[in-house]
Amino acid sequence: MYNWDARIRYSELDSNAVLSMGALVNIFQDCANFDSEDHGVGLSFLMEHKMAWILLGWEFDIRRMPTMGEEVVVSTLPYDFKGSFGYRNFVLSTSKGELLARADSMWMFANWETLRPLRIPEEIYGRYELEEAVYRADLRSKPAMEDLKDVDTFCIMKQHLDTNHHVNNAQYVDFAAQYLPKNRTVKNMKVQYRKQAFLGDEVHAYVGEDEQIFKVMLGTKEKEVYSTFVFELE
């Protein structure tokens, strides 16, 4: 398991003074990137070979969000590679070992220009040592997104893009989290990415709530789906 010692910064907090959902996503993504960098198959290697890892979806089990200044350990491990797909776990814990959050994720290896899937070469998967998964989620089933209301529209701007020139995974989470009810805590978050959003795209937010479950779908006016979110709330 790859470990990264970190400390929660003010810039990562939400309005309730705890780690924001988008910041949690960024911390896990950064940990995966550091793992790849240290194995010699990081960003510069992938860009040179016109390759990319495309996140298809993940699920988060959240016990407690850390607060300002807390010392944390961010961990990640790849547990399976199959064809064009890779599976990776993430864990966030305190420096004293308290489990804060964990996630399971599914990635597709692709050509950076065409975004078409590529079989993962041994040159890449051979750099990693697979470990036993610590958390497994159903990442393939598509949640029902029915009876949602179109509540907002916004436009994709330059600050929303990453090195692949499309909206970054964490940005989608920030977009969706702003519609969550106030004074509610997220216990579980399932995210699936369907269609990539690019500069200038107009995004519609479709929202619905059913008891403890809150759903957000980000898509086009015609309801082509960019991403879906299912939040389990306390």
Side-chain angles (χ1 to χ4, degrees), residues 2-201:
Y2 181 88
N3 297 311
W4 166 39
D5 294 329
R7 191 177 184 191
I8 303 304
R9 298 170 294 179
Y10 179 80
S11 60
E12 297 173 318
L13 304 182
D14 64 13
S15 60
N16 295 315
V18 298
L19 186 72
S20 71
M21 297 300 300
L24 175 62
V25 170
N26 272 325
I27 284 175
F28 281 168
Q29 286 190 145
D30 288 342
C31 189
N33 285 324
F34 290 150
D35 186 18
S36 295
E37 290 290 336
D38 288 359
H39 282 90
V41 286
L43 180 61
S44 59
F45 175 90
L46 294 175
M47 293 183 71
E48 180 184 352
H49 293 84
K50 298 182 179 179
M51 299 171 176
W53 285 103
I54 306 297
L55 182 60
L56 300 180
W58 44 7
E59 184 169 322
F60 295 76
D61 171 40
I62 302 169
R63 308 299 176 85
R64 175 177 74 83
M65 283 297 205
T67 58
M68 173 67 193
E70 278 199 75
E71 294 181 348
V72 296
V73 179
V74 192
S75 306
T76 187
L77 64 93
Y79 65 86
D80 197 12
F81 293 110
K82 289 182 178 178
S84 301
F85 302 99
Y87 300 83
R88 180 181 282 273
N89 278 170
F90 298 89
V91 178
L92 179 67
S93 57
T94 67
S95 57
K96 296 182 179 179
E98 176 193 355
L99 175 62
L100 298 173
R102 56 184 183 169
D104 192 13
S105 63
M106 178 181 178
W107 305 72
M108 181 181 74
F109 195 68
N111 178 281
W112 178 68
E113 295 180 328
T114 65
L115 300 181
R116 292 183 178 179
L118 298 173
R119 187 173 185 84
I120 305 169
E122 184 177 0
E123 182 182 9
I124 289 181
Y125 72 73
R127 305 285 182 99
Y128 300 98
E129 181 178 348
L130 296 183
E131 302 182 51
E132 288 293 324
V134 297
Y135 178 52
R136 286 184 182 268
D138 180 7
L139 299 173
R140 290 183 175 273
S141 63
K142 295 181 179 180
M145 289 286 162
E146 301 171 349
D147 301 321
L148 304 183
K149 295 181 180 179
D150 188 346
V151 300
D152 196 14
T153 305
F154 56 91
C155 189
I156 300 301
M157 304 178 72
K158 287 183 179 180
Q159 63 262 35
H160 300 137
L161 308 181
D162 61 17
T163 56
N164 293 319
H165 306 297
H166 58 70
V167 175
N168 185 263
N169 306 312
Q171 293 285 351
Y172 288 106
V173 175
D174 280 335
F175 292 155
Q178 65 182 320
Y179 304 108
L180 289 170
K182 294 182 179 179
N183 303 317
R184 300 288 296 277
T185 301
V186 177
K187 293 173 53 180
N188 184 278
M189 176 177 69
K190 184 172 183 178
V191 186
Q192 290 188 342
Y193 302 98
R194 309 272 188 86
K195 171 184 169 69
Q196 298 184 57
F198 297 92
L199 182 65
D201 284 356

